[in-house]
Amino acid sequence: MHPTLLLLLLASSLLLHQAHASADCEPARCGNLTLRYPFWLGSINQTSSPCGHPDFEVWCIGDDGSSSVASLKGSTLHVHAINYTNNSFVASHIRVATGDDGVCHTDLNMSVTVALSPFTISRTNRALCFLYSCNGTEPRGPEYVNATSSCGAPIYAYLGGAYSWSKPPEIATGGCKYSYIPVLGREVAAAGMTAANYSRLLKDGFVLE
Ligand SMILES: *[C@@H]1O[C@H](CO)[C@@H](O)[C@H](O)[C@H]1NC(C)=O
Ligand SMILES: *[C@@H]1O[C@H](CO)[C@@H](O)[C@H](O)[C@H]1NC(C)=O
Ligand SMILES: *[C@@H]1O[C@H](CO)[C@@H](O)[C@H](O)[C@H]1NC(C)=O
Ligand SMILES: *[C@@H]1O[C@H](CO)[C@@H](O)[C@H](O)[C@H]1NC(C)=O
Ligand SMILES: *[C@@H]1O[C@H](CO)[C@@H](O)[C@H](O)[C@H]1NC(C)=O
Ligand SMILES: *[C@@H]1O[C@H](CO)[C@@H](O)[C@H](O)[C@H]1NC(C)=O
Ligand SMILES: *[C@@H]1O[C@H](CO)[C@@H](O)[C@H](O)[C@H]1NC(C)=O
Ligand SMILES: *[C@@H]1O[C@H](CO)[C@@H](O)[C@H](O)[C@H]1NC(C)=O
């Protein structure tokens, strides 16, 4: 592409972005969350015109009481807390965070899911690994926690190191298939959590930037 054309394109997309960003969105509440710039409260019906960048649109789902949940534009990602100081937020994926059997639905790749949004999964998260379809070849040891009880099929949890977007943690997997889900590193550290706390860790979500 001709460099000037490229520059023009860049400049106009920046302008567009700013036009969106400078529009006024009233701060709003959803459950225990206060939504303000860059987040804004939209709704499934969207009567008024959007007042912020579409990537930061939040739908408030529920009874408007403290149990309402904040969904990123109706998606499977739910926002739990926002830190406006360092531009990060804690979110969970409903597939693994809802109900008592989230562990049975961990066969998803969160990097791929989040890649559909403009956010990235923070390196401050830890990678919680799940081994399944082991066919009698699962690794054994105290770090591998049997999480089978609530699932129909055997599954084992293992707490790995820092979550990397593209690089699965290096662990012994035997002949198992495996997946890895980001969980809050600070919670693991503060509360001394291990792979045995997989239920709580899945529910509490992970940091996005
Ligand atoms: C959406 O519209 C329907 C029907 O007009 C209404 O009952 C509902 O409360 C609206 N929902 C929201 C979130 O505004
Ligand atoms: C909101 O806060 C209350 C009191 O701290 C808590 O019981 C409730 O679970 C919270 N709701 C959500 C959706 O986090
Ligand atoms: C938000 O992030 C800043 C910078 O990392 C930190 O100092 C502050 O404690 C955080 N606030 C909350 C509520 O976690
Ligand atoms: C921002 O603050 C939150 C809460 O204190 C923390 O968990 C997160 O790691 C921080 N993110 C960055 C990029 O520092
Ligand atoms: C499981 O192991 C058996 C016996 O070794 C083999 O026949 C079968 O194909 C294996 N199944 C899978 C899914 O790897
Ligand atoms: C894991 O737990 C299930 C039931 O909770 C049990 O049937 C199975 O034998 C256990 N597997 C191992 C390797 O201990
Ligand atoms: C998950 O997706 C990322 C990004 O596409 C890829 O690099 C990674 O290898 C995938 N992990 C697994 C376990 O498939
Ligand atoms: C983590 O799991 C262990 C074993 O199940 C339990 O004793 C402990 O209370 C859990 N920790 C937290 C913070 O939930």
Side-chain angles (χ1 to χ4, degrees):
M1 197 183 289
H2 192 280
T4 318
L5 182 58
L6 184 63
L7 265 179
L8 270 174
L9 278 176
L10 264 177
S12 58
S13 70
L14 278 177
L15 276 176
L16 261 180
H17 191 81
Q18 282 194 339
H20 269 301
S22 58
D24 273 335
C25 294
E26 290 292 321
R29 289 194 69 83
C30 176
N32 298 340
L33 268 188
T34 301
L35 298 169
R36 53 187 164 83
Y37 179 81
F39 291 93
W40 57 284
L41 187 63
S43 90
I44 202 163
N45 298 346
Q46 205 62 270
T47 44
S48 54
S49 53
C51 70
H53 193 277
D55 291 336
F56 293 94
E57 178 178 351
V58 168
W59 293 1
C60 196
I61 300 169
D63 59 3
D64 289 340
S66 68
S67 61
S68 296
V69 295
S71 155
L72 278 176
K73 216 157 125 190
S75 74
T76 49
L77 290 175
H78 285 182
V79 181
H80 294 214
I82 302 171
N83 187 326
Y84 291 101
T85 313
N86 70 5
N87 293 316
S88 71
F89 61 102
V90 175
S92 66
H93 190 289
I94 53 174
R95 184 176 158 91
V96 299
T98 317
D100 295 327
D101 62 347
V103 64
C104 315
H105 306 291
T106 47
D107 55 337
L108 83 170
N109 187 330
M110 203 63 85
S111 297
V112 171
T113 304
V114 170
L116 301 173
S117 78
F119 308 111
T120 57
I121 299 171
S122 168
R123 289 273 306 169
T124 64
N125 294 300
R126 296 276 294 268
L128 184 57
C129 309
F130 294 97
L131 299 102
Y132 54 94
S133 298
C134 294
N135 203 2
T137 59
E138 73 273 7
R140 287 174 195 267
E143 324 85 290
Y144 293 88
V145 172
N146 188 348
T148 306
S149 58
S150 53
C151 306
I155 184 162
Y156 302 88
Y158 177 96
L159 186 58
Y163 187 93
S164 161
W165 184 271
S166 56
K167 202 162 161 283
E170 285 169 8
I171 62 166
T173 57
C176 311
K177 290 187 187 167
Y178 86 118
S179 63
Y180 59 114
I181 307 282
V183 297
L184 292 175
R186 61 155 192 267
E187 187 167 282
V188 170
M193 301 244 199
T194 66
N197 302 106
Y198 60 84
S199 283
R200 169 87 183 275
L201 289 169
L202 287 173
K203 284 196 181 303
D204 289 349
F206 51 92
V207 179
L208 286 173
E209 298 167 342

